[in-house]
């Protein structure tokens, strides 16, 4: 498991297959509400317990893309970190995430393409021992750091 680079981000030459980073985030009522505001997604399965309790989920669930955004936080702040640019992302949702769950987002470098300055990251989100979401992200990575001012 790696930590954020002291400069804020890893450059292409510092990355290798197998490097892994993770972030733990507690899903709260406030996070769901803020995500609904930001995304304009007020689906009652996320916002209304009475409605959600009558669905197959038997209660409110977090937005799937809220869970996915925790992985984005890892990519943007830890691995590779500052300067990384998302090019694509695939997602598969396996189980719902609920208020009070601790989501552990983990990204692992799967491939490094030095010619294109891109990496592919294997992305997973777990709640406890359960895999709730996975996919792959293709990310452009800086080749060098900007000099300090």
């Amino acid at each position: 498991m790696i930590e954020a680079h002291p400069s804020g981000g890893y450059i292409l030459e510092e990355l290798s297959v197998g490097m892994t980073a993770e972030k733990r985030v507690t899903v709260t009522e406030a996070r769901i509400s803020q995500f609904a505001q930001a995304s304009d997604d007020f689906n009652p399965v996320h916002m209304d317990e009475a409605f959600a309790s009558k669905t197959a989920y038997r209660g409110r669930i977090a937005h799937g893309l809220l869970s996915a955004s925790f992985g984005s936080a890892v990519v943007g702040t830890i691995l590779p970190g500052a300067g990384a640019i998302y090019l694509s992302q695939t997602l598969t949702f396996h189980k719902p995430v609920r208020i009070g769950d601790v989501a552990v987002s983990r990204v692992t470098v799967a491939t490094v393409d030095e010619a294109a300055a891109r990496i592919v990251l294997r992305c997973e989100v777990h709640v406890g021992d359960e895999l709730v979401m996975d996919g792959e992200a293709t990310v452009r990575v800086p080749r060098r750091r900007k000099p300090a001012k």
Side-chain angles (χ1 to χ4, degrees):
M1 202 66 57
I2 66 160
E3 300 294 324
H5 193 279
S7 73
Y10 290 87
I11 59 172
L12 185 67
E13 293 75 17
E14 296 169 327
L15 296 170
S16 60
V17 171
M19 291 174 78
T20 301
E22 67 181 33
K23 182 176 187 70
R24 296 170 139 0
V25 178
T26 301
V27 177
T28 63
E29 170 79 35
R31 284 185 187 275
I32 290 172
S33 179
Q34 291 166 344
F35 190 84
Q37 290 290 328
S39 66
D40 207 28
D41 178 355
F42 294 95
N43 182 331
V45 77
H46 308 305
M47 309 304 293
D48 181 341
E49 184 61 39
F51 175 91
S53 68
K54 296 174 188 163
T55 69
Y57 299 109
R58 304 279 188 247
R60 289 176 61 194
I61 60 173
H63 301 74
L65 290 180
L66 173 60
S67 299
S69 74
F70 303 149
S72 175
V74 178
V75 171
T77 64
I78 305 172
L79 181 63
I85 303 295
Y86 259 96
L87 299 175
S88 67
Q89 173 78 57
T90 64
L91 299 170
T92 302
F93 299 97
H94 302 285
K95 298 199 178 239
V97 175
R98 300 178 185 279
I99 295 170
D101 285 349
V102 176
V104 179
S105 297
R106 182 177 304 125
V107 301
T108 302
V109 177
T111 65
V112 177
D113 180 344
E114 292 187 26
R118 296 178 180 187
I119 61 173
V120 174
L121 298 168
R122 177 85 183 129
C123 306
E124 297 178 344
V125 177
H126 290 83
V127 172
D129 293 334
E130 299 282 338
L131 177 68
V132 297
M133 186 213 80
D134 64 351
E136 286 189 346
T138 301
V139 177
R140 179 173 291 132
V141 181
R143 293 182 186 276
R144 64 185 70 80
R145 289 187 185 85
K146 291 187 177 186
K149 290 184 179 186

